[in-house]
Amino acid sequence: MAINASNESGSRGRIRLGMVGGGQGAFIGAVHRIAARIDDQFELVAGALASDPARAKASAKELGIADDRAYGSFEEMAKAEAARTDGIEAVSIVTPNHMHAPVAKIFLEAGVHVICDKPLTTTVAEAEELVVLANKSGRVFAVTHNYTGYPMVRQARAMVANGDLGEIRLVHAEYLQDWLTERVEATSHKQAAWRTDPARSGAGGCIGDIGTHAYNLACFVTGLKLDALLAQLSTFVEGRRLDDDVQILLKWKGGAKGTLWASQVAVGNENGLTLRVYGSKGGLEWAQENPNQLWFTPYGRPKQLLTRGGAGALGEAGRVTRIPAGHPEGYLEGFATIYAEAARAIRAARAGEKPHPEVIFPTVEDGLAGVKFIDAAVRSSASDGAWIRMT
């Protein structure tokens, strides 16, 4: 059990955190707030929690944020916090997708570290602009692809890097849900409404919401770069404006092949994110709904079940493990690992240093890669399944 971040707080104090979005009725805002507190590294001190000023301030009051730091807009928040000697050091962006870029930009310009939900932006141009701005600012920029924080995902990544699988040949990712099987966005379902709205979600629906998670996970574990893809984006629910099912062929640089299937209309599936990686010496299989287990099969030998904190667990998994083996860790802890790793990078920045090389979290560049993936898939599908080369 390596993560015990409370001893990193000490006299330096918790990192002062602000939040944009995530107010009343928002699911993901609460997830981020819990994750930020699990390792005792952040303190939420300010917020612009909704696009409506009255609801934003009411939401802040519910969370115990001081009245003078409960803002009606993110612009007001950035200006006011930058002027304070105790202003926020980091901002968590948990808005619908179309607001990620303008919010991140204004806080980077104010010298604030950024922790942003995925996808990074709704367009490649916006994502590229944020990469330039983030690198110029020197601020930490983390993207919350939370599944990269799971210990057994870190284990899988280390095993691939160590050569346990040999030369990677096949990479297959799936992310299957069924919550959009009916047109719930036509009701008062807030989460469905913005995720199926091109103005707020961007050009991709299912591909942007969960397809990017599957893609990021495949890249994170294998270390491979995508060369080209062929995509078919489908909309099965009548009246829906964005895709709800995605099927993609993948060509990875170096010769590996694979597939990615993401669906929000696959009845009977709740949160079926899985990854299968096969090489010349062995294979790995991981499923998010059983996240503390990783199946490893060396070629010609029996399949092995590796468990979080159990025999065979590597240091890369151990350093992001919080509780003893047999006690489940999952979704919230995965998010918390991203926050903990970002905290380590922010504390290093406080001291004018670089974080230790073992500190890993999805960066603004990873966010750009995800937006390029969405863009390429949308263009491929619009071209009746043409192969699109990644740039």
Side-chain angles (χ1 to χ4, degrees), residues 35-47:
R37 289 292 292 144
I38 282 179
D39 294 308
D40 206 27
Q41 288 296 285
F42 294 87
E43 181 178 4
L44 182 65
V45 298

Side-chain angles (χ1 to χ4, degrees), residues 322-337:
R322 294 170 177 80
I323 55 179
H327 297 76
E329 288 191 19
Y331 184 73
L332 293 174
E333 292 87 353
F335 267 102
T337 293

